[in-house]
Amino acid sequence: MRIAGTVRVVVAAAACGVLLTSCASGSDDSAKKGDAGADHGKSPQAGAADSRTIPDVGDRLQSKIPAQSRQVVAVYGDGEDSAKSTVVLYTKSGAKGTTWEKARSWPAHNGKKGWTTDHRENDKRSPVGVFTLTDAGGVLADPGAKFPYTKSSSIQAPHYWPKTHWHDFDYVIAIDYNRAKGTPPNDPTRPQGQAKGGSIWLHMDHGSGTSGCVSLSKPAMEYLLRTLDPKKHPVVVMGDRAHLGA
């Protein structure tokens, strides 16, 4: 059994082949870098900071959040075909642990072509759904993550990508979409097959859309790594606003 927060051994470089075709964008995007490090300070729905349900998430996805979850990373996509989104961290609070409270929020990016309920390899869209969060890693040393953390140069973005993308994978949190839980983020295992894609992560932002991941500023990633706790069964709820609210 691994101990949360410890650094695991370096994974085989062969896993990087899947990474390069699945996660961050390897092409230069026209969007300019915005204020990716800012904390919005408000939830997407004004006045809905505390709730018994995650704000703006409909019954379909709300029902998929495990009852034991005490932390939810909600990714609110601006639109089905938009690469812009907002990430909000909610934590369970209240005397009986029944209330969701907004902790932090950040501007973010998702797949450069937007969102899909049927993600496919290289479709440049992020998958809509509720997914567990169990493993983390990156090129940089563990910043104090509560998740098992793999430091590995094999995770690094290749330098034939635009220079703005070179630090995308300095910190990553694996989203458990079509992957084997309990493995490093760049483990190549695809339980549902290669066609369904994989290597969908939370990772550092380069100022524009990704190939399917969700990207945030370095301070945001450091905060999430130090805050998300396996003992609280964290999940990510992600999608464009229309699909989230269904």
Side-chain angles (χ1 to χ4, degrees), residues 77-100:
D78 282 8
E80 186 173 5
D81 299 320
S82 173
K84 294 183 178 181
S85 52
T86 299
V87 169
V88 182
L89 174 63
Y90 294 100
T91 59
K92 213 61 169 298
S93 63
K96 296 182 179 180
T98 58
T99 303
W100 288 107

Side-chain angles (χ1 to χ4, degrees), residues 125-192:
R125 291 180 178 270
S126 298
V128 174
V130 177
F131 310 101
T132 54
L133 301 169
T134 55
D135 301 279
V139 177
L140 299 181
D142 185 352
K146 291 182 170 64
F147 289 126
Y149 186 94
T150 299
K151 178 183 182 296
S152 173
S153 60
S154 70
I155 297 176
Q156 186 170 12
H159 281 195
Y160 60 79
W161 285 6
K163 192 173 182 178
T164 52
H165 297 55
W166 287 2
H167 295 283
D168 281 10
F169 310 140
D170 280 0
Y171 293 129
V172 303
I173 298 172
I175 293 172
D176 293 334
Y177 169 85
N178 196 21
R179 71 178 300 270
K181 297 180 185 180
T183 63
N186 62 340
D187 183 277
T189 306
R190 300 286 180 265
Q192 299 176 56

Side-chain angles (χ1 to χ4, degrees), residues 59-118:
D59 293 343
R60 184 177 64 84
L61 292 180
Q62 195 79 49
S63 66
K64 295 183 179 181
I65 299 174
Q68 69 268 35
S69 291
R70 293 295 179 268
Q71 292 176 322
V72 167
V73 177
V75 185
Y76 297 93
D78 282 8
E80 186 173 5
D81 299 320
S82 173
K84 294 183 178 181
S85 52
T86 299
V87 169
V88 182
L89 174 63
Y90 294 100
T91 59
K92 213 61 169 298
S93 63
K96 296 182 179 180
T98 58
T99 303
W100 288 107
E101 179 180 332
K102 177 205 163 224
R104 290 285 184 94
S105 69
W106 306 272
H109 288 95
N110 49 266
K112 63 169 63 176
K113 292 187 177 180
W115 297 89
T116 179
T117 57
D118 185 23

